[in-house]
Amino acid sequence: MLITNATLLTLDAENRILEDQAIYLENGKITAIGPEKALQAWYPDAETLDAGGQYVMPGNVCAHTHFYGAFARGMSIPGPAPKDFPEILQKLWWPLDKALDSDAIRLSAQIMLADAIRNGTTTLLDHHASPNAIDGSLDVIADAVRQSGLRAILCYEVTDRDGPERTRAGIEENVRFIEKYAIRNTQYESATQQISNQQSPTPPLPHSKISATFGLHASLTLSDTTLDACRNAAPEGTGFHIHVAEHEADEYDSLEKSGQRVVDRLHKHGLLGPRTLLAHCVHVDAAEIALINETDTWVTHQPRSNMNNGVGAAPVESLLRAGVRVCLGTDGFPHSMWEETRFAYMLQKAHHRDPRRMPGNLLFDMLAGNNPALAGSFFPDAPLGILAEGAHADLIFVDYHPHTPLTPENLPWHVIFGFHESMVTTTICGGQVLMHDRKLHTLDEAALAAEARELAPKVWARYEKYTEKYTEKYTEKYAEKYTEKYAEKYTEKFAAKV
Ligand SMILES: [Zn+2]
């Protein structure tokens, strides 16, 4: 397919803005970029997609999300509003994930994937939980991803909070899925190559737009035994995707359980490294930041979620200054990565009461550099997140008409103050057109929304049932645990905090 009449934002090392360009896509990759007339002459018979002079740029990446949260929209939480993040977990997320059956998992994923296509986000790292439907849940999501045409890295969050049987089931679900996708995926290219040399039909290998990692909930719901079991069960070369220090409770709990802070505890159990992703890290201290950097572990920042949960502002600049690769995710909010970037920009300034904090160019490096570098490590057969020959053909058309000059140097501030997801008109992933002129091709949004509206009352009814149980079970247990009593107890250990 030949895309014509495009203004390219290449976002590669040269970071060029090129007018009157064409891009040729073949077998999921960008195979040629050049002046429109030249490419039209080279590919006279190619199917053509006219970009109408719009900006054409790489699709966005979301480094941390939860498809399973789709039914939370508009849902009411019974009783008094949760007063802090541990209560949000107990009253909202833990009963909701229990309410999900296979249909609800599929629909949640489809709804979220349609949202991602519309918002121009072409790759997502999802973190899934459904304690009453664990076995095969990642296959249900993978089917939805395949149908959508997007790229995703999936995992199941292992936790001890629902008993040892479900802990084991969660571990098995990760291992099964990793063996099916992540490991065989890295062999995909060479196998395809060998088979095409023999001129046989396409091999029945897993879809190359799906990969996997090993999911863990958070230190505060995982025992030492389970951490070791996960480490030992994870196939060679696998990394972990886990929430870290989203709220002080995670640090208090870790200090109580092990005498160590969360990052130190995870390191002791062999869970850090260049394939591991830590979500949030709002309450990590200087030593934890140093350890994250030493082990070359990834971090992802979700400012909208942090603000909504009232958990504080992550030390993003300290992490970056230490050398940590920090990405951006949505944590289940709409997959609008420019909006997430805008919130990240504002949050640090508001939090520190200093407009110099969180410079736009640093933030843009996270969005356009770290996010695709992380996602690309799961799809290593081609570069991801740049417009260049040989790169994955994941791109979007943006109907943006700047009223001031747009240059490679000031692009971050155009993105922060000017770009909006409603300007995304076309989304392409792996060379497949998923949305054109704002019309989705692979998912029927209206039909999915109608089906979800039918199902929502049933999911909500099950949720309410579990909420009552959770409230009874945990209110007493957690009320004492996560209050000032612990904060006081650990004040000294928190003194080193950046
Ligand atoms: Zn999360």
Side-chain angles (χ1 to χ4, degrees), residues 28-46:
K29 309 281 188 324
I30 296 170
T31 50
I33 294 179
E36 183 173 304
K37 286 204 163 57
L39 259 66
Q40 274 172 333
W42 290 344
Y43 303 104
D45 303 323

Side-chain angles (χ1 to χ4, degrees), residues 80-401:
K83 70 173 186 318
D84 57 18
F85 182 63
E87 272 199 14
I88 291 174
L89 289 176
Q90 292 154 44
K91 289 187 164 183
L92 172 56
W93 297 114
W94 294 351
L96 178 62
D97 65 22
K98 275 190 146 70
L100 301 175
D101 59 8
S102 179
D103 271 350
I105 295 168
R106 172 185 55 82
L107 260 177
S108 295
Q110 288 171 316
I111 297 277
M112 292 292 215
L113 290 160
D115 165 82
I117 295 172
R118 191 161 284 291
N119 283 305
T121 297
T122 46
T123 304
L124 307 105
L125 283 96
D126 185 58
H127 200 268
H128 176 66
S130 54
N132 285 323
I134 298 175
D135 299 345
S137 58
L138 294 180
D139 285 332
V140 173
I141 300 171
D143 284 345
V145 172
R146 193 177 290 110
Q147 183 194 9
S148 76
L150 288 169
R151 206 180 285 283
I153 299 117
L154 309 180
C155 69
Y156 187 89
E157 63 151 64
V158 175
T159 176
D160 289 325
R161 66 177 183 267
D162 302 307
E165 244 172 64
R166 286 170 196 193
T167 305
R168 248 192 323 275
I171 293 173
E172 280 163 17
E173 182 64 4
N174 276 303
V175 172
R176 186 189 64 76
F177 195 77
I178 288 166
E179 282 172 351
K180 189 167 174 183
Y181 285 97
I183 294 173
R184 288 165 68 186
N185 217 20
T186 54
Q187 298 160 359
Y188 182 86
E189 280 301 298
S190 60
T192 309
Q193 191 64 41
Q194 271 175 16
I195 289 172
S196 73
N197 288 345
Q198 295 161 9
Q199 297 192 329
S200 298
T202 312
L205 283 169
H207 199 276
S208 66
K209 285 199 262 183
I210 296 172
S211 191
T213 182
F214 199 115
L216 299 167
H217 172 240
S219 170
L220 89 161
T221 69
L222 292 160
S223 67
D224 286 350
T225 313
T226 300
L227 291 178
D228 286 338
C230 291
R231 170 68 277 170
N232 295 335
E236 176 87 20
T238 308
F240 300 86
H241 184 175
I242 179 170
H243 297 106
V244 166
E246 186 168 357
H247 183 270
E248 294 95 325
D250 203 20
E251 294 286 7
Y252 299 161
D253 175 88
S254 179
L255 288 163
E256 266 296 285
K257 276 202 284 229
S258 66
Q260 289 185 303
R261 295 180 64 94
V262 175
V263 174
D264 296 78
R265 180 169 185 243
L266 297 180
H267 185 47
K268 188 179 140 204
H269 291 277
L271 299 170
L272 303 184
R275 303 282 289 165
T276 287
L277 175 64
L278 312 181
H280 300 300
C281 291
V282 177
H283 297 280
V284 293
D285 74 2
E288 288 177 292
I289 291 175
L291 190 51
I292 294 169
N293 185 47
E294 267 167 42
T295 52
D296 215 8
T297 304
W298 297 85
V299 167
T300 178
H301 173 48
Q302 288 67 231
R304 284 184 294 181
S305 162
N306 295 162
M307 293 167 82
N308 185 50
N309 290 329
V311 295
V316 179
E317 290 167 288
S318 299
L319 285 156
L320 291 171
R321 197 160 54 242
V324 175
R325 293 171 297 179
V326 186
C327 302
L328 283 164
T330 59
D331 214 10
F333 272 73
H335 297 97
S336 42
M337 294 310 300
W338 297 326
E339 184 163 83
E340 197 70 52
T341 306
R342 195 148 39 238
F343 271 82
Y345 186 76
M346 305 294 179
L347 171 59
Q348 297 295 330
K349 294 171 197 304
H351 179 74
H352 295 286
R353 297 197 60 205
D354 182 347
R356 294 168 299 184
R357 300 301 293 256
M358 204 62 255
N361 53 326
L362 280 188
L363 202 42
F364 193 70
D365 288 347
M366 290 162 59
L367 175 74
N370 293 345
N371 272 24
L374 168 69
S377 69
F378 293 91
F379 303 99
D381 53 306
L384 194 136
I386 57 173
L387 298 188
E389 288 171 10
H392 286 295
D394 297 2
L395 33 97
I396 55 177
F397 296 1
V398 186
D399 191 22
Y400 179 54
H401 302 273

